[in-house]
Amino acid sequence: MEYVDVAVVGGGPAGSAAAHAAAEAGASARVFEKGVPRDDRPGLGPDSTDAAGILDYWVDIMGIHPDEFPDDVLLSQLDRAAFVGPTESCVLHSTGIDSSYDAFGYTFHRARFDDWLRERAESAGADYRVGVSVRDVETTLDESPRHTIKLADGDAVAADYVILADGPQRTVTNRVLDRYLPYPVTDRLGTTTANHIAYQEHRRLPPAVAEDLRGAITFWWGYIPGHTAYPWIFPNDDDVARIGLTMPIGLDLDDVTDPGSYALLRPDDETVPGGGEYLRRLLEYEYGDEYDVPEDFPLVEDRGKSSGTETYPISSTRPVDSPVEAGVAVVGGAMGTTSAFHEGGDHVAVRTGSIAGELAGSGDLSRYNDAWKDAIENEILRNVTMADMVTDYGPSDWDRIFRTASRMLASEDGYQLFDRTFAAGWNAIKLLVGYRWRKRRLRSGGYVNIPATDYVY
């Protein structure tokens, strides 16, 4: 049986970063990536599906500056984020958080980014195997090496440490974690509760629309029902944009309060519309008076996963600790660090993968659960707190929030407005107090979906 120091299940940003860090630490590291075909990548690779945008301070969380990228990875620079409600809106020109990146953020080509991360890991000495599916990981704690990685083709590889980076699908992760928990892992990581579903299309914009949206990531809140459910547009290059949405899995229209208040629902809807129908309605709602949407917003079919479109799960904001005493670390989307609230998480995927890889490569994973919290706790706390605050929001609530936020932004800029005292009216005070109360309640690990103390060895 072959042996490696560190085996990594999944070759996306978290897995590639883990393999790179482990190899840099002097360990032998191997990535097992099942590989999927994509229209925007020659050959097989990781799924590479998300909105592919990074804010300024995320650059420092990720630990990779875009100056390191090949020329074809970065697609556009951002200078603002626009939040559009049914009748109110606000624009954020700064995150208000210090960073080494001068612009507000950037958008990038996710498949090319993944390919570059793979090359980076291989250059450090990691072995990246694509087209290889992991069926299971068997562990015997009192033997060395502890882990046997069972492959779909019947082969097996032994390893001292396993890093699980198989994304929000958690095909292998759930199977492994279930063996160390006193309750079914699906109680905490069930598909419909731990994840949202995202759908996006790559479309070419009319020149005037592309110019108007250039530099802005735009989100529409209160247009579709569901907790942290929203459409969005991310500008890319050459007047092409990713137009997509995020919404809960399995939402029942019968459970929606006042469906007539949502701009993208219709009186004759019997079920929640699919992603493609929602996006058609969004474009018609915003631009239908001036443009013929099917003709003037054509799909760019050589981008995305298939014919310009892609569907993918994304974590619902709450991460899990890892059973480190078994020599196992869970990273990135598999551990739930990616967030449905802000539609993304490559920065935290890379960071958690790097931390786990470095520790495993150095021969001691015991600090991982503390180390990832030291690195990204503020980011996770912010996302979880905000997501909790908007759990029951409807269209009128989003209008109230954006009206209040506009007043707040007149005196304070960026996310930091939630951490300062200001005078912007009673609604602003209620918003601030509610945010601080929820955030304080979640400290000391309250945001963790599966804490380390739950694991039984």
Side-chain angles (χ1 to χ4, degrees):
M1 186 185 301
E2 287 188 89
Y3 166 83
V4 294
D5 296 320
V6 181
V8 182
V9 181
S16 290
H20 172 266
E24 289 258 290
S28 59
R30 180 172 298 173
V31 177
F32 301 96
E33 167 55 51
K34 66 180 180 181
V36 296
R38 292 181 58 87
D39 288 349
D40 56 7
R41 172 194 288 124
L44 298 177
D47 215 3
S48 301
T49 44
D50 77 2
I54 294 289
L55 300 179
D56 55 3
Y57 74 96
W58 293 3
V59 171
D60 297 313
I61 290 176
M62 185 163 63
I64 301 173
H65 197 281
D67 287 349
E68 300 178 49
F69 297 161
D71 291 340
D72 61 354
V73 173
L74 194 146
L75 298 177
S76 69
Q77 279 200 338
L78 302 171
D79 57 32
R80 66 196 186 282
F83 302 89
V84 182
T87 62
E88 301 281 346
S89 63
C90 66
V91 178
L92 197 68
H93 290 280
S94 169
T95 62
I97 300 175
D98 292 337
S99 75
S100 63
Y101 187 63
D102 292 335
F104 182 82
Y106 64 84
T107 62
F108 61 101
H109 192 294
R110 171 61 196 273
R112 293 173 188 160
F113 175 67
D114 279 358
D115 290 346
W116 175 73
L117 287 176
R118 171 184 176 174
E119 293 167 4
R120 176 173 170 263
E122 290 177 325
S123 295
D127 181 18
Y128 191 112
R129 302 283 180 92
V130 68
V132 179
S133 294
V134 174
R135 189 177 71 244
D136 201 0
V137 177
E138 295 180 357
T139 301
T140 306
L141 296 180
D142 57 357
E143 293 185 6
S144 182
R146 286 176 286 189
H147 306 291
T148 302
I149 294 83
K150 299 285 190 176
L151 306 180
D153 63 5
D155 287 345
V157 177
D160 285 320
Y161 297 97
V162 169
I163 297 176
L164 300 170
D166 52 343
Q169 299 93 333
R170 302 180 181 93
T171 307
V172 179
T173 291
N174 276 5
R175 191 173 299 134
V176 173
L177 297 188
D178 202 36
R179 295 173 183 140
Y180 303 104
L181 292 170
Y183 46 79
V185 68
T186 51
D187 284 358
R188 304 290 178 86
L189 294 177
T191 301
T192 59
T193 55
N195 291 336
H196 279 47
I197 195 72
Y199 171 82
Q200 68 179 337
E201 299 173 346
H202 297 249
R203 290 187 177 268
R204 190 172 304 281
L205 307 178
V209 175
E211 184 59 34
D212 184 53
L213 295 176
R214 201 175 312 281
I217 47 175
T218 306
F219 306 88
W220 284 262
W221 289 92
Y223 280 64
I224 63 177
H227 180 219
T228 62
Y230 56 95
W232 43 261
I233 294 182
F234 279 36
N236 284 177
D237 59 326
D238 195 25
D239 290 353
V240 174
R242 294 176 187 240
I243 305 174
L245 58 86
T246 303
M247 61 182 179
I249 297 171
L251 180 65
D252 190 332
L253 193 57
D254 291 337
D255 295 330
V256 176
T257 302
D258 191 13
S261 65
Y262 292 92
L264 303 187
L265 288 181
R266 301 287 183 266
D268 58 349
D269 285 333
E270 296 182 358
T271 61
V272 171
E277 176 62 18
Y278 261 149
L279 295 189
R280 184 192 66 78
R281 293 181 186 183
L282 173 70
L283 294 175
E284 291 283 0
Y285 185 89
E286 290 290 329
Y287 305 108
D289 290 343
E290 188 174 353
Y291 296 99
D292 181 304
V293 168
E295 181 176 339
D296 295 332
F297 292 77
L299 280 170
V300 182
E301 297 193 358
D302 61 351
R303 299 203 185 192
K305 188 171 181 179
S306 177
S307 300
T309 70
E310 45 202 349
T311 302
Y312 53 99
I314 188 169
S315 303
S316 297
T317 73
R318 291 186 181 250
V320 303
D321 275 331
S322 295
V324 292
E325 291 184 34
V328 174
V330 192
V331 298
M335 73 178 289
T337 55
T338 57
S339 171
F341 187 80
H342 58 50
E343 175 48 40
D346 290 310
H347 60 307
V348 286
V350 169
R351 186 62 178 274
T352 55
S354 297
I355 293 169
E358 181 180 2
L359 293 173
S362 300
D364 184 4
L365 261 181
S366 61
R367 284 199 61 256
Y368 175 63
N369 291 323
D370 291 329
W372 74 254
K373 294 183 183 72
D374 289 343
I376 65 170
E377 180 175 70
N378 285 339
E379 175 75 348
I380 299 297
L381 265 176
R382 185 181 299 113
N383 293 333
V384 172
T385 302
M386 290 181 177
D388 276 3
M389 288 180 66
V390 305
T391 298
D392 298 317
Y393 274 21
S396 62
D397 298 301
W398 286 110
D399 274 339
R400 173 177 52 82
I401 288 298
F402 293 147
R403 184 167 54 249
T404 302
S406 293
R407 294 171 183 165
M408 294 164 71
L409 289 169
S411 58
E412 300 288 354
D413 207 6
Y415 292 165
Q416 297 288 22
L417 60 84
F418 288 105
D419 298 314
R420 299 172 181 163
T421 302
F422 50 84
W426 176 242
N427 282 334
I429 294 171
K430 288 194 295 184
L431 180 64
L432 175 66
V433 170
Y435 173 81
R436 287 181 172 173
W437 179 80
R438 286 175 173 83
K439 189 174 181 181
R440 189 177 300 114
R441 190 164 55 96
L442 289 167
R443 287 194 182 278
S444 302
Y447 56 86
V448 176
N449 198 352
I450 299 177
T453 52
D454 280 7
Y455 292 114
V456 178
Y457 300 94

